[in-house]
Amino acid sequence: MTETKTARRRIFSGIKPSGHLTLGNYLGAVRRWVQEDQHRADALFCVVDLHALTVEHDPARVRRLTRQAATLLLASGLDPEQCTLFVQSQVDEHVRLSYLMECTATDGEMRRMIQYKEKSVREQARGRSVRLSLLTYPALMAADILAYGTHEVPVGEDQTQHVELARDLAQRFNQRYGPVFTVPRATQPRVSARVMDLQDPTSKMGKSHAETAGIVYLLDEPDVVRKKIMRAVTDSGTEVRYDRTEQPGVANLLDVLASCTDGKPEVLAEEFSSYGALKGATAEAVLEVLRPLQARHAELCADPSYMDGVLRAGAERARGLARPRVDEAYAAVGLLPPA
C-alpha cells in the first residue's frame, strides 16, 4: 500500500479472539469493513489479542483463535492492498501508549465502564478473581485507537462507551501536554445487521457464550448451520410478521434473512406462511453467504506463508504509523527519547 492514502480519513477497528467468529460478527461488522470501510478511507483492522488476556484463558487457544480470526478476515474479503490487517501484540506501540492512557484516565472512569461491571460479575460468579487488566483494558483500547491518528471507529452500540472514553482521554491529554492526538468519533452503519442468539433472541449472538446451540459460527459445517437454524426458537402463534417486541424469534430470523439477501425484513415476512418455510429459506441464505468464505478460508490455511506475510507487512506498516505519534506523546509527558 502506498502512503498516498494517508491523506484520507483514517479508520481503525478491531476484533477480539475470545472465541470463534460468528455470523453475527460477519453481518454486524466484518461485511461493512469489506464492502465499505476499506475502500473509503485509510483503514486499519486489528486482531486485538491482548484484550483476550483480561480473563482466564488457554494460551494455545488464544494463539489459534488469533490466527483463525485474521485468516477469516481475509477470507471475508479484506484486501491487504486496500487496508492494513495486523495483530495487536505484534505492534509494541499499543502497550507503550496504553500506560500513558492509564496515567491520563481516572479510577472512576474505569469503574463506570459497563463491560467491566458485567464481566467482573461473571468472573466472580465463576469463583474467579477479577484481573486488574479487566478494569484497565479500556485504556489499552483508547491506545489502540489514538496511536494511529484515527478519525472514525466503526463500532456497535455496546462499544460506543469505549470510543467516548478515547475521545475524553485524547482531549484531556492534548489540553495538558499539547496537541498530540486526533479526537476520534464512533460511527455506526446506517442500517445495522442485528443478529441475535437463535435460542435466546433477546441476547446478541456472541462468540464467547458458553451455550453454542443458538450461535452460527463462520466455520460451522453446512449440516450444523442448517440444524441450528431449523431448531431456532420462534414464538407462540403461527403468523410470520416482523415484530421485535412481540415476536423476537421470528424477527431475528427475518433480520438474518434480510441481511443475507439485501432485503427488508418487513417485506420478506409477507412471503412466508409458516415458521418452517422461513427457517428453511434463512438456512439456505446463510449457507450461500458462508460457502465462498469457507472455501477461501481453506485456501488460505493451505498456504500459511502467505498469511504470515500479510500479517508481517501489516504490523510493519502499523508500527510505522504509530511510532512517531507515540514517541511524540512520550516526549510531551516529559520522558526522555529512546536510547
Side-chain angles (χ1 to χ4, degrees):
M1 178 185 296
T2 63
E3 284 304 314
T4 57
K5 298 188 79 172
T6 57
R8 303 164 68 188
R9 293 185 69 76
R10 184 161 291 151
I11 288 175
F12 176 93
S13 198
I15 197 160
K16 182 168 65 174
S18 56
H20 300 286
L21 298 193
T22 72
L23 182 67
N25 295 133
Y26 176 75
L27 296 178
V30 175
R31 185 172 62 172
R32 180 193 179 195
W33 299 353
V34 169
Q35 295 179 350
E36 298 182 29
D37 292 335
Q38 70 171 334
H39 301 292
R40 69 181 180 86
D42 182 12
L44 296 99
F45 301 109
C46 180
V47 181
V48 288
D49 53 342
L50 294 173
H51 291 295
L53 310 185
T54 59
V55 295
E56 193 69 29
H57 65 277
D58 172 23
R61 185 171 186 265
V62 170
R63 279 192 292 272
R64 185 172 65 253
L65 290 177
T66 296
R67 189 174 185 87
Q68 183 186 92
T71 306
L72 281 169
L73 291 179
L74 273 191
S76 298
L78 287 185
D79 181 353
E81 295 298 320
Q82 292 289 328
C83 67
T84 303
L85 174 63
F86 66 104
V87 173
Q88 179 190 33
S89 64
Q90 295 181 336
V91 179
D92 293 344
E93 279 64 33
H94 290 255
V95 176
R96 289 180 62 207
L97 185 54
S98 178
Y99 183 69
L100 296 194
M101 293 299 100
E102 288 183 16
C103 292
T104 306
T106 67
D107 175 76
E109 285 174 317
M110 296 293 101
R111 295 188 185 278
R112 284 195 296 272
M113 303 304 285
I114 295 172
Q115 293 209 8
Y116 169 71
K117 294 178 180 179
E118 294 176 347
K119 290 181 179 180
S120 61
V121 168
R122 286 201 297 269
E123 288 297 290
Q124 290 171 340
R126 293 169 180 166
R128 299 172 181 169
S129 57
V130 178
R131 298 186 179 192
L132 178 61
S133 57
L134 190 60
L135 176 66
T136 61
Y137 88 89
L140 174 58
M141 187 177 291
D144 297 338
I145 297 167
L146 299 180
Y148 298 100
T150 302
H151 300 96
E152 299 179 26
V153 187
V155 291
E157 291 181 7
D158 59 335
Q159 293 294 331
T160 301
Q161 187 185 33
H162 289 111
V163 182
E164 288 302 315
L165 176 67
R167 287 177 57 84
D168 291 343
L169 296 184
Q171 291 169 336
R172 189 177 306 155
F173 190 100
N174 290 347
Q175 289 168 357
R176 290 177 180 174
Y177 307 113
V180 174
F181 297 115
T182 300
V183 179
R185 67 182 181 91
T187 60
Q188 296 181 358
R190 292 179 298 276
V191 180
S192 178
R194 182 177 177 179
V195 182
M196 313 302 278
D197 191 295
L198 296 172
Q199 292 298 314
D200 179 10
T202 63
S203 298
K204 190 173 74 169
M205 187 180 285
K207 59 182 178 292
S208 55
H209 290 181
E211 296 297 327
T212 62
I215 302 171
V216 175
Y217 296 103
L218 295 185
L219 294 179
D220 274 347
E221 294 289 335
D223 287 347
V224 173
V225 172
R226 192 175 285 108
K227 184 179 295 184
K228 287 179 177 179
I229 294 175
M230 295 306 293
R231 292 180 177 177
V233 168
T234 48
D235 309 283
S236 58
T238 58
E239 182 185 3
V240 178
R241 58 190 178 91
Y242 186 68
D243 187 330
R244 282 182 172 174
T245 302
E246 296 298 325
Q247 290 190 312
V250 171
N252 187 38
L253 290 169
L254 288 167
D255 279 331
V256 171
L257 179 59
S259 295
C260 291
T261 61
D262 294 324
K264 295 183 178 180
E266 300 88 345
V267 175
L268 289 169
E270 299 174 1
E271 299 179 9
F272 301 97
S273 58
S274 70
Y275 294 163
L278 170 61
K279 289 180 178 181
T282 302
E284 292 308 313
V286 170
L287 290 172
E288 197 65 26
V289 166
L290 295 183
R291 193 172 292 115
L293 186 155
Q294 293 182 352
R296 179 59 178 152
H297 177 266
E299 292 174 0
L300 291 168
C301 288
D303 187 7
S305 62
Y306 174 75
M307 195 70 225
D308 290 340
V310 168
L311 294 179
R312 190 182 308 113
E316 183 177 348
R317 179 170 190 265
R319 199 176 299 119
L321 291 173
R323 182 166 295 168
R325 186 170 288 99
V326 176
D327 285 348
E328 184 182 358
Y330 267 54
V333 298
L335 301 178
L336 294 176

